[in-house]
Amino acid sequence: MAARRAVNQSRRLPDSASIPLVSSLHPKSRSTPLLSVGLVLLGAFLLIGYSYSSSGGLASDKEAIHKGEGASCTSEVHRAIPFLKKAYGQTMRKVLHVGPDTCAVVSTLLKEDDTEAWGVEPYDLEDADSSCKRLIRKGFVRSADIKFSLPYRPKSFSVVIVSDALDYLSPKYLNKTLPDLARVSSDGLVIFAGQQRAKVLELAKFGKPVKLRSSSWWIRYFVQTGLQENEAATKKFEQAASKSSYKPSCQIFHLVS
């Protein structure tokens, strides 16, 4: 499992705000006791301020998504489900969702007629609520590091939906993760990716800056990976969305291998 905690920058502070460094600025002068006390107090305040900003001042990315501070494409999945149903029709019978808050997505999908759903949470499930734990016990939801091969056979699901996950992976890991997501889907892979104009936290869930890529970047990358646009699903989705004046806040790609 990839680490989700922000790096504690306060561990490096003694190198930049410690008393020996400040004292070394005047090696040939003899500081008065009053000046020394003042420098000690100043250093203490700086340490407290930096410690707060690096540890308590920033919430984790998953917490930010819950609070609506980040660009959550997982919440967009809930809004898009009716249009996905119209785009994929009967083929949307066995669905896998990959992304944070997958329990909520799976619960929504299970309420749809003739739809079975499973979920993969790329982060820990320690703070899962009772309904989510129930889905875990029944085997509908599991936690897995998507940088490695998913524990499913080829074409285990008709449609695979991914949100708030690929934006945090470098091409090094995308080269492995994207083909594996396509491997377990038989009729389509739907990717919800963040918009470049969206506001997001600087710290990513996988410990690296979030990578908000343009649609042209994604399209070139899909081609390089051997994926093609699912033109039929794209057309049906856009038509259904247009009739309901639905405008997604995330980029949505419909793909087939």
Side-chain angles (χ1 to χ4, degrees):
M1 178 65 60
R4 295 174 52 236
R5 299 188 180 89
V7 178
N8 189 351
Q9 298 177 355
S10 62
R11 294 178 181 176
R12 299 195 297 269
L13 288 175
D15 294 334
S16 60
S18 61
I19 301 307
L21 178 60
V22 176
S23 300
S24 66
L25 295 175
H26 304 282
K28 295 183 180 180
S29 62
R30 189 172 184 178
S31 303
T32 64
L34 182 61
L35 179 60
S36 299
V37 172
L39 291 175
V40 170
L41 292 175
L42 178 61
F45 280 122
L46 289 174
L47 284 172
I48 293 173
Y50 276 110
S51 297
Y52 174 79
S53 63
S54 60
S55 59
L58 289 176
S60 68
D61 290 309
K62 190 173 182 180
E63 291 172 345
I65 287 178
H66 281 300
K67 297 176 182 177
E69 296 171 0
S72 172
C73 286
T74 297
S75 62
E76 192 67 43
V77 173
H78 291 275
R79 299 176 57 207
I81 286 177
F83 310 107
L84 290 172
K85 291 282 289 184
K86 292 182 179 180
Y88 290 90
Q90 295 300 318
T91 61
M92 196 168 167
R93 60 191 183 279
K94 295 181 67 176
V95 182
L96 174 69
H97 173 259
V98 179
D101 296 331
T102 191
C103 285
V105 175
V106 170
S107 296
T108 300
L109 287 168
L110 289 175
K111 295 176 183 178
E112 298 289 329
D113 295 333
D114 302 322
T115 300
E116 298 178 87
W118 291 265
V120 171
E121 168 68 62
Y123 319 114
D124 64 67
L125 289 164
E126 295 177 357
D127 57 347
D129 57 23
S130 57
S131 61
C132 185
K133 291 179 179 178
R134 186 160 50 250
L135 291 173
I136 296 171
R137 287 195 301 269
K138 292 182 177 180
F140 289 106
V141 173
R142 69 195 307 166
S143 178
D145 191 338
I146 63 172
K147 290 183 294 188
F148 302 96
S149 182
L150 294 174
Y152 301 111
R153 294 178 180 178
K155 302 185 184 302
S156 294
F157 309 95
S158 54
V159 177
V160 175
I161 303 172
V162 187
S163 60
D164 288 322
L166 301 183
D167 289 323
Y168 302 90
L169 297 181
S170 65
K172 172 185 176 181
Y173 292 112
L174 278 175
N175 289 337
K176 301 177 181 178
T177 301
L178 206 52
D180 194 52
L181 291 169
R183 176 185 65 85
V184 299
S185 66
S186 61
D187 297 308
L189 172 62
V190 186
I191 294 177
F192 287 70
Q195 301 273 18
Q196 283 192 311
R197 64 176 181 272
K199 288 184 178 180
V200 293
L201 295 178
E202 293 181 357
L203 298 178
K205 303 173 186 65
F206 289 110
K208 294 183 179 181
V210 61
K211 307 175 191 306
L212 295 179
R213 290 127 171 167
S214 65
S215 60
S216 59
W217 188 95
W218 279 114
I219 292 171
R220 287 195 302 270
Y221 192 82
F222 295 147
V223 172
Q224 294 173 5
T225 314
L227 296 175
Q228 300 176 352
E229 180 186 10
N230 189 335
E231 295 181 359
T234 300
K235 184 177 180 179
K236 292 179 180 179
F237 182 88
E238 291 177 349
Q239 288 176 344
S242 178
K243 289 181 181 179
S244 300
S245 299
Y246 167 65
K247 296 181 179 180
S249 59
C250 296
Q251 301 180 84
I252 302 178
F253 302 97
H254 304 268
L255 307 168
V256 289
S257 56

